[in-house]
Amino acid sequence: MVNFILADNQELTAFALKTLIREHESATIHQASDKEQLVAQLTREEKSIVILDYTLFDIVDENQLLIIIERFPHAQWLMVSDDLTVQVMRKLVYTVRNVSIVFKDAPFKLFRHAIDFAIRGERYLCQRAAEVLICQQADEEQHNKVLTQTEIEILRGVAQGKTIKEIAYERYSSIHTINTHKKNIFRKLQVNTAHEAVKYAFRAGLVDPSEFYI
C-alpha cells in the first residue's frame, strides 16, 4: 500500500493528479488543504508521498518548507508548481535528497515518471528544472572565474555586513584600494548596488546563510 498526500489547492491540478495516482491500484489518497492538516497526516503515516504546491499553501517560504521536509525524512516530496524560483529549487535540491520537482505545464508522462520515481524512493527532476539549475551553476562558475581571490574575499566581507573601513582594516589596505576592488566587482558581476552583489554572493555559495546579515 502506497499512501499519497495531495496538498495542492488548485482544483483542476488536484483532479488531474488524482487520476494519475489512481493508476496505481495499491495507492491510497488523502488530501491536505493547509500546513496543519499536512503535518497531522504525515505524523500518522510518515512514509507517504506528498504532492505539494507550496506556493498555494499556507507555508510562508522555502525555509519553513525545509523544516517540515526535514521533520519527516521518510516521506517522498514531489513539488509541482509554476512559481518555483531558482533559489527555492537550489535550496531543495542541494539541502535534501527526498524532493522531486515537476512544473505544472509539463506533459502528463513526466508526472507519471515522477510518481513512479517517488514510489521507488528516488528523486526526479523534470528537464526544465535540471536545465535551469545547470545553467545557473555554469553562470556562477563563470563569474567565480572572473573574480580574483581578493575580490571574492571582499565580496564575502560585504555580504557579512562589514563596512569598507572594516574590510580595509582587516586586509591592511587603504579604503581607496577596497573601494577600487568594490567597483571592479560591480563591473564584473554587472550589478549596480551592494544589495545585488550580496544576493550574488549568497546564490554562489560564497557566504554561509548564517553569516548573511543584509
Side-chain angles (χ1 to χ4, degrees):
M1 187 71 68
V2 183
N3 188 62
F4 285 83
I5 300 174
L6 187 53
D8 190 320
N9 288 325
Q10 195 172 57
E11 290 186 11
L12 187 59
T13 305
F15 176 80
L17 289 168
K18 283 181 184 177
T19 302
L20 288 175
I21 294 170
R22 284 177 181 141
E23 292 179 357
H24 298 271
E25 294 182 1
S26 63
T28 59
I29 305 173
H30 297 87
Q31 286 191 266
S33 59
D34 57 34
K35 181 179 62 179
E36 183 179 354
Q37 289 183 9
L38 175 60
V39 170
Q41 291 187 28
L42 279 168
T43 301
R44 288 193 295 270
E45 182 57 64
E46 289 191 16
K47 293 183 178 180
S48 296
I49 297 173
V50 181
I51 303 181
L52 170 68
D53 185 346
Y54 95 97
T55 64
L56 301 177
F57 235 56
D58 60 340
I59 295 175
V60 177
D61 55 25
E62 67 270 21
N63 293 320
Q64 189 177 78
L65 173 61
L66 276 171
I67 290 172
I68 298 173
I69 291 173
E70 290 172 348
R71 179 178 170 184
F72 299 100
H74 300 298
Q76 289 293 322
W77 298 77
L78 174 54
M79 299 294 144
V80 292
S81 180
D82 287 325
D83 300 314
L84 290 177
T85 65
V86 177
Q87 177 182 335
V88 170
M89 287 192 292
R90 277 189 59 131
K91 191 167 286 189
L92 291 173
V93 170
Y94 297 149
T95 305
V96 290
R97 302 183 63 84
N98 55 336
V99 172
S100 299
I101 298 174
V102 179
F103 287 97
K104 282 188 173 178
D105 61 356
F108 254 38
K109 65 179 181 180
L110 296 190
F111 285 95
R112 285 193 178 95
H113 292 331
I115 289 171
D116 289 342
F117 271 59
I119 290 173
R120 296 198 301 267
E122 299 174 7
R123 164 178 284 171
Y124 180 86
L125 296 180
C126 69
Q127 183 175 350
R128 178 178 158 195
E131 288 177 349
V132 168
L133 291 171
I134 291 170
C135 287
Q136 195 209 29
Q137 182 68 31
D139 184 57
E140 289 172 357
E141 288 175 357
Q142 183 60 36
H143 278 136
N144 285 343
K145 290 177 183 177
V146 170
L147 295 181
T148 67
Q149 186 59 40
T150 296
E151 289 167 343
I152 290 174
E153 291 172 2
I154 291 171
L155 177 57
R156 185 180 290 118
V158 172
Q160 291 171 345
K162 297 175 182 176
T163 65
I164 295 300
K165 184 177 180 180
E166 288 172 331
I167 295 172
Y169 177 79
E170 290 178 356
R171 298 188 60 81
Y172 304 100
S173 299
S174 68
I175 293 175
H176 173 74
T177 298
I178 301 302
N179 270 323
T180 299
H181 282 304
K182 184 179 174 183
K183 289 178 183 178
N184 288 334
I185 292 168
F186 283 19
R187 175 178 55 79
K188 290 180 179 181
L189 297 183
Q190 297 180 346
V191 298
N192 297 311
T193 66
H195 179 68
E196 291 175 333
V198 165
K199 285 173 65 177
Y200 166 80
F202 182 65
R203 291 196 307 268
L206 298 177
V207 180
D208 186 276
S210 64
E211 300 173 335
F212 190 76
Y213 298 129
I214 295 178

